[in-house]
Structure formats: C-alpha cells, structure tokens
Amino acid sequence: MLKRIITLWSFALALLANAHEGMWLPTLLKSIEGDLQAAGLQLTAEDIYSINKGSLKDAIVLFGGGCTAEVIGQKGLILTNHHCGFGAITDHSTVENDRLKNGFWAASLSEELRNPGLTATFVVRMEDVSDRILPLLEAGLNEAQRRDAVNKLAEGITKEAVAGTHYKAVVRPFNYGNSYFLIVTETFRDVRLVGAPPSAIGKFGGDTDNWMWPRHNADFSLFRIYTGPDGRPADPADANVPMIPRHVLPMSLEGPREGEYAMIFGFPGNTQRYLSSYAVNYVQNTADPMRIAMRTASLGVIDAAMRTSDRTRLQYADKQAGISNAWKKWIGEVRGLKELNTLQRKQDYEAAYTAKAKAEGQAEYAKALTTLEGLYGQYVPYATARDMFVEMVYYGPEVLRFTDGFREVVEEHGKLTSEGKYAQALSERLTASESYFQNYDVEVDKAVFKALLPIYRKHVPANLAPDVLKEIDARFKGNSDAWVDALYAKSVFVDEERLRKAFRNPSAGAMKKLAKDPLFRATRSFFRSFLEQVRPTHAALSDQIETAMRTYVKGMMVLYPEKTYWPDANSTLRLSYGKVEGSRPRNGVTYEAFTTLDGVLEKYVPGDVEFDVPQRLIELYRAKDYGRYGVNGSLPVCFTSSLHTTGGNSGSPVLNGRGELIGLNFDRTWESTMSDIQFDPDKCRNICVDVRYLLFLIDKFAGAGHLLEEMVLVQPAMQTIALPLHR
Ligand code: ARG
Ligand code: GLU
C-alpha cells in the first residue's frame, strides 16, 4: 500500500493550493489534464506528450548541455536564447567580422555556420521504471551501495530500451530516489548558426538589466538541425541535409494576451522545493551571504578595471558576466526567502510533520528530520569550506586554476617522460597559455586575490583551510596583502615571458625548482586541503543527507497525501503552466505585464556598452514601421508570465492554450529568484521576448523574411482584432 502511494505520488489529484507552482513531468500530465483545461488549455495531455503520434514534445530541444530550444521551421529551424547561442556566435566572430556585435543572418542554407560539438537532443520517450528498481533494492544499503545497485539495474533497462536503435537512454532518480524514470533521447550533432541579432539587441541592457523587470532585450538566436541524408543524426558534413521535424511550433501573430493561459515546456535544471529548515538556514544565512560577499569584492575590482580601458573591458566582459549572473540571483534569493519567511514556515511545517508522524505511529519519518538536524550540524563547516573553495578557485583569482593546470608537467615529470608523453603534455599547456594571457591582467588578478582572501579566511574554519595560509601570520605579521604581493612578485605563472623561460629546458631539476614557485605551492595547498580535508567528508555527509531526505519527502506524501507533489527539477523535460500576467513584487509596486519599443528608446544611451541601440532600429521606431507586428502604433517587446521556471528554462517556448508560441523565455524577475526553493504566485514571474518582436526583428529589421516561409504563422482570430491591446 505504502509503495503504491509512493510510486503514484505524482498522480495525486488534490486541488492545487497554488495554481502555478510546479514543474510537471510530461508523462504525468494526464493526471492534471482537468486542471490544465480548467486553466485554459485547449489541447489534451496527449497533444502535449505522446509516444504514439507527433506531439508538442517533439518540438522541444535540449540545446547543448544546459539550455532549451524549440523547432519553429519545417526545415529543422530552432529558436533559443542569444545567451545560449553566445558561445557559437562568438566563435564565429573576429575583430574584422564581428558577428556578435553586428548580428548575423545566413541568406541561404549554404551560409549557415557549423558548430562542432554543439548538440540538439529530443526526448523520444520517458517511462516510470520505479517498479523495476525499488523492489529490487536490498534494505539497509548505504548510499554508495545503493547507487551501485541502481546503476546495475539501470544498465539492463537502458540496454533493452535502445536495442536496435541509435537512441541513448538513461535512468534518472527523481524526488531523492523515491522514483526512477527511463529517458530515451535522440541527439543530433550537426547544429548550424542561422541568425542572431546584433548584441545591442540580443543583450540589450546587459548586466544592469539582468534579472530585472521592466526588460527590453530580444534574447534570441536561430540555429538549424542537420541530419545525414538518411534523416539520422550525423557528424557535421557537406552531405548533411536540414532535419525534417516531427512537430513545428506554430507562431502566434496575435501574440500573448494579458490574463490568458500560458505554459512553458523545457529543461529546467535544478530546484530545491523540499529542503529542510536546516538547509534553508544554511543557504539563506551562510552560503548565499558569503558567496555574495566574495563576488561583491571581486566585481568591485573587475568593474572598476573595466571602466579604465577598452582593452580590460573586453578581456573581462565574459568573466564579469559569469560572476555577476549568480551574484545578482543570490541577492534576490536571500531577499525573497526573507520576505516569504521561508525559514519560519519550514520550521512550522516540520513541527507539525513531526507531531503527525508520531501521532500516526510513523516514527521513522520524524526520525529522518532529527537525523537531518544532526547531519547539518556536521555538514555546515564542510559545505562552507567547499563553497568557498569554489568561489576562491573557480570564480576568484584566475592564477589558481591556471597554475593547477601545470600540476602534471611539474610534479609528474618522471612518469610522463618515461611514458613518452611529456613533450605533448607541456606543449598543450603552453598553447592554452597563449589565449589565457590574452585575457589576463595581472594587476586585476592580484587585486581580486587580495580582495577575496580576507573574506575567505573569515569564513573557512581554520582546520579546513589550506596550510599555506599559515604563512600570513608566521611570516607576514598577518598582512595578507603583503603575502599576495610576495606570491605574485616571484611566480612565473603570472607572466607569459617568465613562464616560457621557465619551461624552456624542462629538466627534472627545473621542475623540482618550479614546484617551489610561490604560486605553485599556494595552488597545491588550496587543492590539497580541499581534496584531502574537505571533499571526502563533504561527500559522505551529502550522501547521508540524501538518504534522510528520501525518507523525509516520502513521509510528506504519506502524512499529507491530499497535497500535490511535483519532483524537483533535474534537467529533464517539464511543463509549467500559469498565465500571462504582471505582478505585485513588493508593497506599493506593481509591474505591468508588457513592455514596448518605446521603452527601448527610453533606455537608449548612445555609445554605451549596455544601452546603445542600432541605428536601423531607431529608424524603424521613428517611422513607426512595424508592419503587421505593431499594435496601436507601438511594438510589443517583452512580457512576464506566472510560470514556474529556473535556470535551464532559458530558450524555452512559452505557448498559449492552443500550443502556439507566444514568447521565448529568458529570465526571471529579481523578486522571483527564491522560487527555486519557494514559489510565490504573487511575486514570481518569468520574462519572455514577445513573439511579435522576434518576428519583427527577423522580418523587418534583419530582412531575413525568407525564414518566415518555413514557419507556421497563425493569424489573429477575427474576434480579437478589435480588442484594446496591451501596452
Ligand atoms: N539571468 C539570465 C540567466 O540566468 C540571463 C543571463 C545572461 N545575461 C546576462 N546579462 N548575463 O541565465
Ligand atoms: N537565464 C536563465 C537560464 O539561462 C533562466 C532564468 C532563470 O533562472 O529563471 O536558464
């Protein structure tokens, strides 16, 4: 009986307390079909996900590793975000032919640009295989043993699933391993760049506007999937042909209407809906604040440096964006969690849960919570050390990771030489160094190191910190700046000339000497302390937390079976639904649902890196030349909807009740970012490019109207033409 409840947990058909929370598994939509249709869906669950006939899911693409894209053209044309296509666009850009800056539009198939390594993956089918796994797991396995046992069973299941096909299959845990799904996919390997607007349009507003509403950028780019002549996935090749899709999303010329049903279909990465209060406490009061502090410090250095010269600006633009995106998100997350009083709510829930479990004789569920409390007491110092290692080494001074790249050639000279691999390994390192130093400014890097070190030392428990830091007190009277100065002054790893010289005669003796290089020693110490003192215990405790969470969330479903549960996002295909609507993010503040081109011009700062506007767009604006895409003398640009989304939903299609594309998801508002942990229907909104702005840019701005010929454009229904339109 219990097992039945657990396997069927996602089928729970209770009234939704909260209509828009949740990222639903496409295979389980049948169980909420009534809710979807009551909310305004005009299709059936089978129209959205079917394994027997073409359905919406056949148009949804996992783009590369972490974004979503969708098929919008009969010849395999796909749409995703500009920031998802960013790598491909920059790869095809040079100073002489700056496609990133100027935009790019292939006039014909032959002009489309290949991107080796870029993939487009479709979901062929998903299937609940919990019954083929859970009953076969022995009781009392620890987490590592359980993983092994699951992997063995999964191997058989996936082999059987792909037999005789070119598909791939995986079995993924859902809901802390309370259920398992088989996912069969088809991956295409020839994905070509078709079009991208100038970055002044695709990234309009830059980091200033990132995570913010009102928003005015068209964060989109276009690609095309190619197959071998036989229609199957193939490596990039001349003989390849455009893919013939199973489903093409129609584009709604009517666009989104305020208050109408909307849904999003894509690959959300990671949510943590069921966290305990102990975990929320760590995120809100320790992890986020210290990570924010680290990045505030490094951004202070980098932003100032970027203002001093164009050279530094270009060198650091990408790194700055990478650091600031999560930084800004965490600031919003902490604020949101506090406003929603999430911690207190979790504590109240846990108290009620514990009482109920005890009253109903389900003591093991209550015990899971006590276990979690105890585990978090041990886990927090290790999680702190790990999170700060990541901030310091992966987002801090670049020299640490760069130097670590030389570990093998310095420390394993003898081994590599005897295997005849030394020359090759060294030459790879030195080649990588060339592009590294092109975007490296030693003064900026040193200043970042100095800015981060005190914050790092303040948070990381002394017994989990690198030994090398003891030198600061022992030899530098506690002056960490002086210690950093000394590292950089003598190291060869901060200067290309010095580095080449140091490796000119890479003898065993020379490597012995290099092992004493001050930055090499410091880097080794950072990595060694992490790998030896932090990671093993961190991993063991994480495993135990996973085990306890499995029991805790199972208890939720047993103790409160009337509630609806959705499994946390895990980069698998999901559907969320809600409405096109604005929001009330804070007391006294209302956000409208739509922006227009007028707002682009309001933000216009000629020559600015973030807020410049291309001349041609200004001309079209002055002439009000919007063609069929304009509405009452204006042009819709972006809109918000109450769809539960997270990172990975970038590039996902936002569809109306008929399954027509009305927008392209690319962000959330700042007041929404706590929705990974707690969703709030009044505050949480995702941000989309309006389909009419997309079509206007492709058709009128770029003159790439030929692309519209392969699209399915849906004319506005007669009765809606006369309605007052949103501004
Ligand atoms: N905030 C969006 C996301 O999380 C967009 C990021 C890219 N844009 C930017 N200005 N950095 O991915
Ligand atoms: N920009 C995010 C992404 O790249 C989506 C925004 C969000 O986290 O909701 O997936």
PDB file of all heavy atoms in Angstrom, residues 18 21 272-273 336-337 340-343 345-346 644 671-681 684:
ATOM      1  N   ASN A  18      -2.037  26.077  -5.074  1.00  0.00           N
ATOM      2  CA  ASN A  18      -1.284  27.176  -5.586  1.00  0.00           C
ATOM      3  C   ASN A  18      -1.118  26.889  -7.065  1.00  0.00           C
ATOM      4  O   ASN A  18      -0.298  26.101  -7.472  1.00  0.00           O
ATOM      5  CB  ASN A  18       0.011  27.084  -4.808  1.00  0.00           C
ATOM      6  CG  ASN A  18       0.988  28.088  -5.187  1.00  0.00           C
ATOM      7  OD1 ASN A  18       0.963  28.601  -6.288  1.00  0.00           O
ATOM      8  ND2 ASN A  18       1.860  28.352  -4.255  1.00  0.00           N
ATOM      9  N   GLU A  21       2.465  26.883  -9.089  1.00  0.00           N
ATOM     10  CA  GLU A  21       3.706  26.243  -8.687  1.00  0.00           C
ATOM     11  C   GLU A  21       3.847  24.888  -9.359  1.00  0.00           C
ATOM     12  O   GLU A  21       2.865  24.200  -9.595  1.00  0.00           O
ATOM     13  CB  GLU A  21       3.727  26.033  -7.161  1.00  0.00           C
ATOM     14  CG  GLU A  21       5.013  25.355  -6.733  1.00  0.00           C
ATOM     15  CD  GLU A  21       5.064  24.994  -5.261  1.00  0.00           C
ATOM     16  OE1 GLU A  21       4.374  25.641  -4.459  1.00  0.00           O
ATOM     17  OE2 GLU A  21       5.803  24.056  -4.937  1.00  0.00           O
ATOM     18  N   GLN A 272      14.915  23.163  -5.413  1.00  0.00           N
ATOM     19  CA  GLN A 272      15.068  22.527  -4.092  1.00  0.00           C
ATOM     20  C   GLN A 272      13.842  22.794  -3.238  1.00  0.00           C
ATOM     21  O   GLN A 272      13.915  23.324  -2.139  1.00  0.00           O
ATOM     22  CB  GLN A 272      16.325  23.067  -3.414  1.00  0.00           C
ATOM     23  CG  GLN A 272      17.575  22.752  -4.196  1.00  0.00           C
ATOM     24  CD  GLN A 272      18.790  23.373  -3.572  1.00  0.00           C
ATOM     25  OE1 GLN A 272      18.862  24.579  -3.411  1.00  0.00           O
ATOM     26  NE2 GLN A 272      19.731  22.550  -3.180  1.00  0.00           N
ATOM     27  N   ARG A 273      12.711  22.391  -3.771  1.00  0.00           N
ATOM     28  CA  ARG A 273      11.429  22.691  -3.182  1.00  0.00           C
ATOM     29  C   ARG A 273      11.245  22.102  -1.786  1.00  0.00           C
ATOM     30  O   ARG A 273      10.559  22.656  -0.949  1.00  0.00           O
ATOM     31  CB  ARG A 273      10.350  22.157  -4.134  1.00  0.00           C
ATOM     32  CG  ARG A 273       8.954  22.121  -3.606  1.00  0.00           C
ATOM     33  CD  ARG A 273       8.441  23.539  -3.413  1.00  0.00           C
ATOM     34  NE  ARG A 273       7.057  23.526  -2.992  1.00  0.00           N
ATOM     35  CZ  ARG A 273       6.659  23.421  -1.737  1.00  0.00           C
ATOM     36  NH1 ARG A 273       7.545  23.275  -0.777  1.00  0.00           N
ATOM     37  NH2 ARG A 273       5.373  23.447  -1.444  1.00  0.00           N
ATOM     38  N   GLY A 336      14.112  37.364  -1.202  1.00  0.00           N
ATOM     39  CA  GLY A 336      12.834  36.675  -1.379  1.00  0.00           C
ATOM     40  C   GLY A 336      12.539  35.694  -0.257  1.00  0.00           C
ATOM     41  O   GLY A 336      11.405  35.612   0.237  1.00  0.00           O
ATOM     42  N   LEU A 337      13.544  34.943   0.159  1.00  0.00           N
ATOM     43  CA  LEU A 337      13.334  33.971   1.241  1.00  0.00           C
ATOM     44  C   LEU A 337      12.951  34.689   2.530  1.00  0.00           C
ATOM     45  O   LEU A 337      12.083  34.223   3.276  1.00  0.00           O
ATOM     46  CB  LEU A 337      14.602  33.131   1.456  1.00  0.00           C
ATOM     47  CG  LEU A 337      14.959  32.130   0.349  1.00  0.00           C
ATOM     48  CD1 LEU A 337      16.339  31.521   0.584  1.00  0.00           C
ATOM     49  CD2 LEU A 337      13.900  31.028   0.232  1.00  0.00           C
ATOM     50  N   LEU A 340       9.341  36.011   2.252  1.00  0.00           N
ATOM     51  CA  LEU A 340       8.342  34.941   2.337  1.00  0.00           C
ATOM     52  C   LEU A 340       8.396  34.231   3.690  1.00  0.00           C
ATOM     53  O   LEU A 340       7.572  33.377   3.979  1.00  0.00           O
ATOM     54  CB  LEU A 340       8.552  33.915   1.225  1.00  0.00           C
ATOM     55  CG  LEU A 340       8.275  34.355  -0.205  1.00  0.00           C
ATOM     56  CD1 LEU A 340       8.470  33.190  -1.156  1.00  0.00           C
ATOM     57  CD2 LEU A 340       6.865  34.918  -0.356  1.00  0.00           C
ATOM     58  N   ASN A 341       9.401  34.592   4.497  1.00  0.00           N
ATOM     59  CA  ASN A 341       9.530  33.961   5.802  1.00  0.00           C
ATOM     60  C   ASN A 341       9.682  32.438   5.666  1.00  0.00           C
ATOM     61  O   ASN A 341       9.115  31.655   6.447  1.00  0.00           O
ATOM     62  CB  ASN A 341       8.283  34.291   6.629  1.00  0.00           C
ATOM     63  CG  ASN A 341       8.641  34.519   8.072  1.00  0.00           C
ATOM     64  OD1 ASN A 341       9.799  34.350   8.466  1.00  0.00           O
ATOM     65  ND2 ASN A 341       7.651  34.888   8.875  1.00  0.00           N
ATOM     66  N   THR A 342      10.409  32.053   4.658  1.00  0.00           N
ATOM     67  CA  THR A 342      10.517  30.631   4.313  1.00  0.00           C
ATOM     68  C   THR A 342      11.056  29.789   5.474  1.00  0.00           C
ATOM     69  O   THR A 342      10.548  28.701   5.754  1.00  0.00           O
ATOM     70  CB  THR A 342      11.422  30.454   3.074  1.00  0.00           C
ATOM     71  OG1 THR A 342      10.856  31.220   2.016  1.00  0.00           O
ATOM     72  CG2 THR A 342      11.527  29.001   2.649  1.00  0.00           C
ATOM     73  N   LEU A 343      12.061  30.313   6.149  1.00  0.00           N
ATOM     74  CA  LEU A 343      12.672  29.542   7.229  1.00  0.00           C
ATOM     75  C   LEU A 343      11.654  29.217   8.327  1.00  0.00           C
ATOM     76  O   LEU A 343      11.510  28.066   8.746  1.00  0.00           O
ATOM     77  CB  LEU A 343      13.856  30.342   7.803  1.00  0.00           C
ATOM     78  CG  LEU A 343      14.711  29.645   8.844  1.00  0.00           C
ATOM     79  CD1 LEU A 343      15.227  28.307   8.345  1.00  0.00           C
ATOM     80  CD2 LEU A 343      15.896  30.541   9.223  1.00  0.00           C
ATOM     81  N   ARG A 345       8.431  29.232   8.056  1.00  0.00           N
ATOM     82  CA  ARG A 345       7.401  28.333   7.522  1.00  0.00           C
ATOM     83  C   ARG A 345       7.876  26.885   7.511  1.00  0.00           C
ATOM     84  O   ARG A 345       7.121  25.962   7.798  1.00  0.00           O
ATOM     85  CB  ARG A 345       7.055  28.732   6.084  1.00  0.00           C
ATOM     86  CG  ARG A 345       6.243  29.989   6.003  1.00  0.00           C
ATOM     87  CD  ARG A 345       5.538  30.000   4.666  1.00  0.00           C
ATOM     88  NE  ARG A 345       5.455  31.350   4.127  1.00  0.00           N
ATOM     89  CZ  ARG A 345       4.773  31.672   3.056  1.00  0.00           C
ATOM     90  NH1 ARG A 345       4.151  30.737   2.359  1.00  0.00           N
ATOM     91  NH2 ARG A 345       4.714  32.906   2.638  1.00  0.00           N
ATOM     92  N   LYS A 346       9.124  26.688   7.144  1.00  0.00           N
ATOM     93  CA  LYS A 346       9.682  25.334   7.144  1.00  0.00           C
ATOM     94  C   LYS A 346       9.689  24.774   8.567  1.00  0.00           C
ATOM     95  O   LYS A 346       9.357  23.616   8.793  1.00  0.00           O
ATOM     96  CB  LYS A 346      11.113  25.347   6.603  1.00  0.00           C
ATOM     97  CG  LYS A 346      11.225  25.696   5.142  1.00  0.00           C
ATOM     98  CD  LYS A 346      11.168  24.456   4.260  1.00  0.00           C
ATOM     99  CE  LYS A 346      11.266  24.830   2.785  1.00  0.00           C
ATOM    100  NZ  LYS A 346      11.000  23.709   1.885  1.00  0.00           N
ATOM    101  N   HIS A 644       6.377  28.749 -13.481  1.00  0.00           N
ATOM    102  CA  HIS A 644       7.455  28.360 -12.573  1.00  0.00           C
ATOM    103  C   HIS A 644       8.641  27.872 -13.404  1.00  0.00           C
ATOM    104  O   HIS A 644       8.558  26.835 -14.049  1.00  0.00           O
ATOM    105  CB  HIS A 644       6.949  27.258 -11.639  1.00  0.00           C
ATOM    106  CG  HIS A 644       7.816  27.059 -10.440  1.00  0.00           C
ATOM    107  ND1 HIS A 644       7.522  26.152  -9.468  1.00  0.00           N
ATOM    108  CD2 HIS A 644       8.968  27.653 -10.052  1.00  0.00           C
ATOM    109  CE1 HIS A 644       8.448  26.195  -8.524  1.00  0.00           C
ATOM    110  NE2 HIS A 644       9.334  27.102  -8.863  1.00  0.00           N
ATOM    111  N   GLU A 671      12.634  39.594  -8.062  1.00  0.00           N
ATOM    112  CA  GLU A 671      11.795  39.237  -6.920  1.00  0.00           C
ATOM    113  C   GLU A 671      11.320  37.784  -7.001  1.00  0.00           C
ATOM    114  O   GLU A 671      10.560  37.325  -6.149  1.00  0.00           O
ATOM    115  CB  GLU A 671      10.582  40.173  -6.853  1.00  0.00           C
ATOM    116  CG  GLU A 671      10.925  41.635  -6.597  1.00  0.00           C
ATOM    117  CD  GLU A 671      11.324  42.401  -7.859  1.00  0.00           C
ATOM    118  OE1 GLU A 671      11.392  41.778  -8.942  1.00  0.00           O
ATOM    119  OE2 GLU A 671      11.554  43.619  -7.764  1.00  0.00           O
ATOM    120  N   SER A 672      11.784  37.048  -8.018  1.00  0.00           N
ATOM    121  CA  SER A 672      11.308  35.672  -8.226  1.00  0.00           C
ATOM    122  C   SER A 672      12.331  34.616  -7.878  1.00  0.00           C
ATOM    123  O   SER A 672      12.003  33.434  -7.849  1.00  0.00           O
ATOM    124  CB  SER A 672      10.996  35.443  -9.708  1.00  0.00           C
ATOM    125  OG  SER A 672      10.131  36.396 -10.211  1.00  0.00           O
ATOM    126  N   THR A 673      13.581  35.021  -7.660  1.00  0.00           N
ATOM    127  CA  THR A 673      14.641  34.021  -7.733  1.00  0.00           C
ATOM    128  C   THR A 673      14.633  33.035  -6.571  1.00  0.00           C
ATOM    129  O   THR A 673      15.288  31.999  -6.639  1.00  0.00           O
ATOM    130  CB  THR A 673      16.026  34.683  -7.853  1.00  0.00           C
ATOM    131  OG1 THR A 673      16.149  35.662  -6.824  1.00  0.00           O
ATOM    132  CG2 THR A 673      16.192  35.348  -9.192  1.00  0.00           C
ATOM    133  N   MET A 674      13.859  33.328  -5.517  1.00  0.00           N
ATOM    134  CA  MET A 674      13.736  32.338  -4.442  1.00  0.00           C
ATOM    135  C   MET A 674      12.806  31.200  -4.863  1.00  0.00           C
ATOM    136  O   MET A 674      12.628  30.239  -4.108  1.00  0.00           O
ATOM    137  CB  MET A 674      13.226  32.990  -3.146  1.00  0.00           C
ATOM    138  CG  MET A 674      11.767  33.394  -3.125  1.00  0.00           C
ATOM    139  SD  MET A 674      11.367  34.522  -4.468  1.00  0.00           S
ATOM    140  CE  MET A 674       9.785  35.148  -4.012  1.00  0.00           C
ATOM    141  N   SER A 675      12.239  31.287  -6.069  1.00  0.00           N
ATOM    142  CA  SER A 675      11.274  30.257  -6.463  1.00  0.00           C
ATOM    143  C   SER A 675      11.933  28.887  -6.649  1.00  0.00           C
ATOM    144  O   SER A 675      11.236  27.891  -6.749  1.00  0.00           O
ATOM    145  CB  SER A 675      10.519  30.664  -7.728  1.00  0.00           C
ATOM    146  OG  SER A 675      11.377  30.660  -8.850  1.00  0.00           O
ATOM    147  N   ASP A 676      13.260  28.825  -6.691  1.00  0.00           N
ATOM    148  CA  ASP A 676      13.922  27.517  -6.704  1.00  0.00           C
ATOM    149  C   ASP A 676      13.650  26.787  -5.388  1.00  0.00           C
ATOM    150  O   ASP A 676      13.707  25.568  -5.316  1.00  0.00           O
ATOM    151  CB  ASP A 676      15.440  27.671  -6.863  1.00  0.00           C
ATOM    152  CG  ASP A 676      15.816  28.183  -8.254  1.00  0.00           C
ATOM    153  OD1 ASP A 676      14.929  28.261  -9.119  1.00  0.00           O
ATOM    154  OD2 ASP A 676      17.000  28.507  -8.450  1.00  0.00           O
ATOM    155  N   ILE A 677      13.403  27.562  -4.322  1.00  0.00           N
ATOM    156  CA  ILE A 677      13.144  26.979  -3.006  1.00  0.00           C
ATOM    157  C   ILE A 677      11.689  27.165  -2.592  1.00  0.00           C
ATOM    158  O   ILE A 677      11.051  26.258  -2.104  1.00  0.00           O
ATOM    159  CB  ILE A 677      14.102  27.592  -1.956  1.00  0.00           C
ATOM    160  CG1 ILE A 677      15.542  27.207  -2.304  1.00  0.00           C
ATOM    161  CG2 ILE A 677      13.743  27.135  -0.541  1.00  0.00           C
ATOM    162  CD1 ILE A 677      16.610  27.889  -1.484  1.00  0.00           C
ATOM    163  N   GLN A 678      11.176  28.370  -2.805  1.00  0.00           N
ATOM    164  CA  GLN A 678       9.742  28.590  -2.553  1.00  0.00           C
ATOM    165  C   GLN A 678       9.146  29.506  -3.613  1.00  0.00           C
ATOM    166  O   GLN A 678       9.619  30.635  -3.825  1.00  0.00           O
ATOM    167  CB  GLN A 678       9.509  29.196  -1.165  1.00  0.00           C
ATOM    168  CG  GLN A 678       8.015  29.234  -0.849  1.00  0.00           C
ATOM    169  CD  GLN A 678       7.702  29.791   0.528  1.00  0.00           C
ATOM    170  OE1 GLN A 678       8.575  29.942   1.371  1.00  0.00           O
ATOM    171  NE2 GLN A 678       6.431  30.113   0.749  1.00  0.00           N
ATOM    172  N   PHE A 679       8.092  29.019  -4.252  1.00  0.00           N
ATOM    173  CA  PHE A 679       7.408  29.783  -5.297  1.00  0.00           C
ATOM    174  C   PHE A 679       6.331  30.631  -4.656  1.00  0.00           C
ATOM    175  O   PHE A 679       5.655  30.196  -3.731  1.00  0.00           O
ATOM    176  CB  PHE A 679       6.781  28.799  -6.288  1.00  0.00           C
ATOM    177  CG  PHE A 679       6.089  29.456  -7.454  1.00  0.00           C
ATOM    178  CD1 PHE A 679       6.807  29.805  -8.591  1.00  0.00           C
ATOM    179  CD2 PHE A 679       4.724  29.708  -7.420  1.00  0.00           C
ATOM    180  CE1 PHE A 679       6.169  30.396  -9.679  1.00  0.00           C
ATOM    181  CE2 PHE A 679       4.083  30.305  -8.505  1.00  0.00           C
ATOM    182  CZ  PHE A 679       4.809  30.651  -9.638  1.00  0.00           C
ATOM    183  N   ASP A 680       6.176  31.851  -5.144  1.00  0.00           N
ATOM    184  CA  ASP A 680       5.097  32.702  -4.652  1.00  0.00           C
ATOM    185  C   ASP A 680       4.284  33.217  -5.841  1.00  0.00           C
ATOM    186  O   ASP A 680       4.820  33.871  -6.726  1.00  0.00           O
ATOM    187  CB  ASP A 680       5.671  33.885  -3.884  1.00  0.00           C
ATOM    188  CG  ASP A 680       4.566  34.769  -3.339  1.00  0.00           C
ATOM    189  OD1 ASP A 680       4.049  34.474  -2.259  1.00  0.00           O
ATOM    190  OD2 ASP A 680       4.189  35.744  -4.035  1.00  0.00           O
ATOM    191  N   PRO A 681       2.977  32.887  -5.852  1.00  0.00           N
ATOM    192  CA  PRO A 681       2.181  33.203  -7.032  1.00  0.00           C
ATOM    193  C   PRO A 681       2.009  34.706  -7.285  1.00  0.00           C
ATOM    194  O   PRO A 681       1.764  35.117  -8.416  1.00  0.00           O
ATOM    195  CB  PRO A 681       0.824  32.543  -6.758  1.00  0.00           C
ATOM    196  CG  PRO A 681       0.805  32.263  -5.306  1.00  0.00           C
ATOM    197  CD  PRO A 681       2.218  32.163  -4.836  1.00  0.00           C
ATOM    198  N   CYS A 684       6.270  35.782  -8.296  1.00  0.00           N
ATOM    199  CA  CYS A 684       7.166  35.088  -9.225  1.00  0.00           C
ATOM    200  C   CYS A 684       6.722  35.180 -10.685  1.00  0.00           C
ATOM    201  O   CYS A 684       5.629  34.740 -11.038  1.00  0.00           O
ATOM    202  CB  CYS A 684       7.318  33.626  -8.807  1.00  0.00           C
ATOM    203  SG  CYS A 684       8.187  33.485  -7.231  1.00  0.00           S
TER     204      CYS A 684
END
